[in-house]
Amino acid sequence: MMTKTDSLLFGVEYPAGSGQLHYEFELRLPTVRDNIEAIQAVGVESNLQLNLDMFARTLVRLGTIPPEAITLELLEAMVDDDYDVLAQARSELKKKRMRPSSTSPASDAPSSLSADTASPSPEPSN
């Protein structure tokens, strides 16, 4: 399972009202199943809620919060900048998982630019 570990800027308070903030997180790649379950849970009216529910499903770890306590409701109390941190982590995971591009030239291949721009040699005169 591919995951990304990072830290939130402001943290998530848990338990509520305790003042205890949790910053360190580990996020895994979302699956189609995660997406289907999130849509079934929150619908498609709010993209923000859908994404928060996806984060709740894909956060492997958030500080010392028990995994079953990492819910949409918990993440709704998060500072919006921390939402951006999670979104960036998910984007980085997706980039790592992407198939390498086969269209880029090999770095050790000789450049043909000089051959394309070279002036023709003058023909020898007889």
Side-chain angles (χ1 to χ4, degrees):
M1 169 175 59
M2 183 179 284
T3 64
K4 165 97 172 135
T5 304
D6 207 338
S7 296
L8 300 175
L9 300 172
F10 298 94
V12 173
E13 185 179 23
Y14 181 86
S18 69
Q20 184 179 358
L21 297 172
H22 300 264
Y23 300 91
E24 305 301 317
F25 69 87
E26 183 178 6
L27 187 73
R28 67 171 173 79
L29 273 173
T31 64
V32 172
R33 179 181 301 273
D34 294 321
N35 204 346
I36 291 168
E37 290 174 357
I39 289 170
Q40 290 172 341
V42 300
V44 294
E45 292 80 32
S46 170
N47 196 39
L48 183 59
Q49 272 197 318
L50 184 60
N51 278 312
L52 274 176
D53 196 73
M54 290 285 288
F55 287 136
R57 294 172 189 283
T58 57
L59 276 166
V60 175
R61 181 177 53 80
L62 179 54
T64 59
I65 300 173
E68 64 276 4
I70 303 172
T71 63
L72 170 65
E73 293 75 20
L74 178 73
L75 298 183
E76 284 177 333
M78 180 170 58
V79 175
D80 63 344
D81 287 345
D82 281 342
Y83 172 90
D84 295 337
V85 171
L86 290 175
Q88 179 64 36
R90 179 176 58 195
S91 292
E92 290 174 15
L93 269 172
K94 286 182 175 183
K95 284 179 187 174
K96 281 184 183 178
R97 177 68 184 264
M98 286 181 74
R99 182 179 188 173
S101 175
S102 61
T103 59
S104 58
S107 60
D108 59 350
S111 172
S112 61
L113 181 60
S114 59
D116 292 342
T117 59
S119 300
S121 299
E123 290 189 23
S125 53
N126 294 355

